[in-house]
Amino acid sequence: MIHSFHIFSVCVIEVRSSVCVIEVRVDWYWRGTCCCVFNAVLFLSQVRLQVQNVDKPLYRGTYHCFQSIVRQESILGLYKGIGSPMMGLTFINAIVFGVQGTVMRQLGRDSPLNQFLAGSAAGTIQCVICCPMELAKTRMQMQGTGEYKSTRKHYKNSLDCLVRIYRKEGVWGINRGMLTTLAREAPAFGFYFLTYDCLTRSLGCEPDDPYMIPKLLLAGGMSGIASWLSTYPVDVIKSRLQADGVGGVLQYNGILDCVQQSYRKEGWRVFTRGLTSTLLRAFPVNAATFATVTLFLMYMRGEGEGVKDCEPAPAMQQPQPQQSSL
């Protein structure tokens, strides 16, 4: 059995399959834009909950955070910082799936360990774009907290945010939180690809299975949850470091100081702040990823054509493979 994810990864990097490359890129742009709109609301509540002052908390939970933002900042307040992910998501997806496919081909053998290693390599490399993108997103989301019309608007948009940070702090400034981003992304993407591989194998996602799409939805959604759970405490620290200094005062001297201060004031629960928002977002978004890719590629080629334009490289082929729905 050839897993749909394996074939998708190869399509991204296979030069001879130009049709596949165009289809995949168009699909990822369309899917990424739709996911950004959905993600923005839960991303905002996640960050606000992660970095709020424990001595003067503004929000009691995810729903209360959502209510407060709409009431205090209008419905548009839910989409603060959306520009940064929309600019960077296409490049991140291209890097992640391109690198993952390339590493899998280099490793040769399709095994759970190699899936983890390939995913970790992809997660590591995409941090170059992910870290500045999330810095701008976090700063924009924290700007004007609780204000209907912010009178202290430091940044006009995500690009202006990065430009201002660069002028003031240089390259190190726009890469604030890089170490924590690496510590989060490398293992998270490893578990993401590993979980998806294991679930699709155990569920038996065969191309002629009438329940293939529901199975892909389940595998993708659970993979997203597993990847977030594996490194979520690191994400809390990353958000706090990137939001530090928004009010003009730096609270943390580094990663270790942030961990110590956070734990001392709030206990172990600090490392689960915003987790509900994250998991509510993780399942549907990642489930939609695999289902959308599958349906889109089937539509572009016509049902039943399979992957004749996107055959996997020899290193990825299994003995007597069947054609995948992709």
Side-chain angles (χ1 to χ4, degrees):
M1 176 178 66
I2 300 178
H3 295 287
S4 56
F5 202 95
H6 302 166
I7 294 176
F8 169 66
S9 301
V10 174
C11 286
V12 175
I13 61 173
E14 191 66 48
V15 176
R16 63 183 171 81
S17 301
S18 57
V19 175
C20 290
V21 175
I22 294 172
E23 290 174 2
V24 168
R25 284 177 180 171
V26 172
D27 174 59
W28 271 111
Y29 181 80
W30 175 80
R31 187 199 68 83
T33 302
C34 293
C35 284
C36 270
V37 175
F38 174 74
N39 269 342
V41 177
L42 293 174
F43 254 133
L44 178 62
S45 60
Q46 172 192 332
V47 171
R48 292 280 181 92
L49 288 168
Q50 285 178 337
V51 304
Q52 72 173 342
N53 189 338
V54 67
D55 297 323
K56 297 179 181 179
L58 295 174
Y59 314 113
R60 295 191 298 269
T62 301
Y63 183 68
H64 181 250
C65 180
F66 176 82
Q67 275 187 320
S68 300
I69 293 171
V70 173
R71 185 173 61 252
Q72 298 170 0
E73 305 172 40
S74 81
I75 192 72
L76 295 178
L78 295 172
Y79 296 97
K80 286 184 177 180
I82 193 174
S84 178
M86 290 190 72
M87 288 190 297
L89 193 62
T90 301
F91 298 104
I92 287 176
N93 283 325
I95 292 172
V96 167
F97 292 100
V99 171
Q100 193 270 345
T102 301
V103 173
M104 282 299 298
R105 287 177 28 154
Q106 293 299 318
L107 292 173
R109 183 167 173 267
D110 180 11
S111 67
L113 176 60
N114 286 348
Q115 287 288 341
F116 181 84
L117 294 175
S120 296
T124 300
I125 293 176
Q126 60 91 40
C127 285
V128 176
I129 296 177
C130 178
C131 182
M133 181 195 79
E134 294 202 354
L135 174 65
K137 174 180 68 68
T138 301
R139 293 291 179 91
M140 291 295 296
Q141 288 174 337
M142 294 304 298
Q143 182 172 254
T145 300
E147 299 178 3
Y148 183 74
K149 289 186 178 180
S150 178
T151 56
R152 298 169 295 173
K153 204 168 184 179
H154 298 291
Y155 314 115
K156 298 176 182 178
N157 50 53
S158 298
L159 183 59
D160 179 62
C161 177
L162 288 175
V163 170
R164 286 176 178 271
I165 293 173
Y166 176 75
R167 287 175 178 172
K168 185 178 180 180
E169 305 176 46
V171 175
W172 292 108
I174 62 174
N175 285 289
R176 179 188 292 270
M178 178 62 80
L179 289 179
T180 46
T181 303
L182 285 167
R184 183 195 68 180
E185 296 293 86
F189 272 99
F191 282 113
Y192 183 82
F193 283 83
L194 172 63
T195 304
Y196 179 76
D197 179 71
C198 292
L199 286 175
T200 50
R201 289 178 188 277
S202 61
L203 292 172
C205 296
E206 300 290 348
D208 56 349
D209 188 346
Y211 300 105
M212 184 189 70
I213 300 302
K215 288 179 179 179
L216 289 177
L217 285 169
L218 177 62
M222 294 307 297
S223 299
I225 288 177
S227 67
W228 272 107
L229 287 175
S230 66
T231 59
Y232 190 77
V234 182
D235 183 66
V236 175
I237 300 303
K238 180 203 72 70
S239 295
R240 293 196 164 202
L241 288 172
Q242 290 186 329
D244 193 27
V246 170
V249 180
L250 290 173
Q251 185 178 354
Y252 308 114
N253 293 324
I255 298 173
L256 185 59
D257 182 55
C258 181
V259 173
Q260 290 176 336
Q261 286 195 45
S262 299
Y263 180 75
R264 191 182 306 119
K265 290 181 179 179
E266 305 171 54
W268 64 269
R269 291 183 182 275
V270 68
F271 302 112
T272 63
R273 285 192 177 277
L275 183 59
T276 302
S277 300
T278 302
L279 297 184
L280 286 173
R281 183 184 77 249
F283 189 94
V285 168
N286 289 284
T289 296
F290 297 105
T292 303
V293 170
T294 303
L295 293 173
F296 185 85
L297 293 179
M298 288 176 65
Y299 171 78
M300 292 295 288
R301 295 178 180 81
E303 281 200 41
E305 290 186 15
V307 292
K308 63 184 180 181
D309 293 327
C310 254
E311 287 298 321
M316 295 295 292
Q317 291 179 342
Q318 306 292 330
Q320 296 181 347
Q322 299 178 5
Q323 278 193 329
S324 164
S325 60
L326 284 180

